[in-house]
Amino acid sequence: VEAYIGQEDLASHARAGRTARNAIMFGSPGVAYVYLVYGMHHCLNVVTEAAGRPAALLIRAVEPVSGVDAMRAARLDATRAEGSGRDRIESLPVSRLAAGPGLVCAAFSIDRSQNEIDLCNPASELRLEMATHDEALPVATGPRIGISYAPEPWLSMPWRYFVRTSAALSVVG
DNA sequence: TGAATGATGCACT
DNA sequence: GTGCATCATTCAC
């Protein structure tokens, strides 16, 4: 995940103030902020701060632990590739099924129709749930990915959090 | 109304 | 490591 915090964070969509696209970031926490990036990939964020302070957590990658077949089917459904492109997805290792922010949305069939959804409502089609079990994971931090347009200190802020040992990382930490 | 630009992913070298 | 697909959003006319 990557954290984007406040209008002062010059890597954040909220850097230029409130707009039609990022208005969700200024709203209530626990809500999904889904946007289209590079004209073709969707990215899922969770709004994290109290209303009025724009902040969100970008879900950059997911390590599948169940629902693998459904995720692979969703990846196939999302791609416009044909032939060998589809074969490649068919043979993709489980750890790579959602190893990128755009791939997370493809694997979970998330698009802007899930924007603004309440992730804390158990009745929501897309929601956050408590883990059934917990385990200690080696979490490391580093600079955020794909924000070369941002000036220092934002470019180097260690606001990317990742499980060091995971094979599902979008970019090797 | 138009031009620039991405919180990417994939093929190819 | 380089190049490209592809378009919503933003801001400048």
Side-chain angles (χ1 to χ4, degrees):
Chain A
V1 298
E2 286 175 3
Y4 291 84
I5 310 172
Q7 197 168 326
E8 67 274 19
D9 177 359
L10 296 185
S12 172
H13 281 177
R15 61 188 179 276
R18 186 179 184 135
T19 64
R21 178 178 64 161
N22 67 24
I24 302 293
M25 291 182 74
F26 289 75
S28 301
V31 171
Y33 169 42
V34 183
Y35 63 87
L36 187 64
V37 72
Y38 298 125
M40 62 196 89
H41 302 292
H42 293 280
C43 289
L44 171 66
N45 296 251
V46 183
V47 178
T48 52
E49 295 282 319
R53 177 159 167 75
L57 202 63
L58 168 67
I59 310 297
R60 277 199 65 87
V62 165
E63 184 171 311
V65 293
S66 67
V68 169
D69 291 343
M71 292 176 72
R72 198 181 297 276
R75 283 289 309 275
L76 286 166
D77 203 48
T79 186
R80 286 180 201 174
E82 295 173 20
S84 62
R86 301 184 72 85
D87 294 343
R88 198 189 55 75
I89 296 176
E90 295 274 16
S91 57
L92 216 49
V94 171
S95 63
R96 306 313 296 173
L97 281 177
L103 299 180
V104 168
C105 288
F108 283 85
S109 299
I110 295 167
D111 59 28
R112 287 189 305 169
S113 65
Q114 276 81 35
N115 191 32
E116 209 170 356
I117 210 169
D118 180 4
L119 297 169
C120 297
N121 185 340
S124 294
E125 62 169 352
L126 179 64
R127 59 188 182 273
L128 297 169
E129 295 188 350
M130 297 297 292
T132 52
H133 71 285
D134 214 346
E135 62 184 290
L137 294 171
V139 175
T141 63
R144 293 170 291 181
I145 307 299
I147 57 163
S148 57
Y149 56 86
E152 295 291 1
W154 312 108
L155 184 57
S156 300
M157 292 302 270
W159 287 347
R160 175 177 182 232
Y161 295 78
F162 56 96
V163 177
R164 203 178 56 238
T165 53
S166 177
L169 297 179
S170 57
V171 174
V172 177

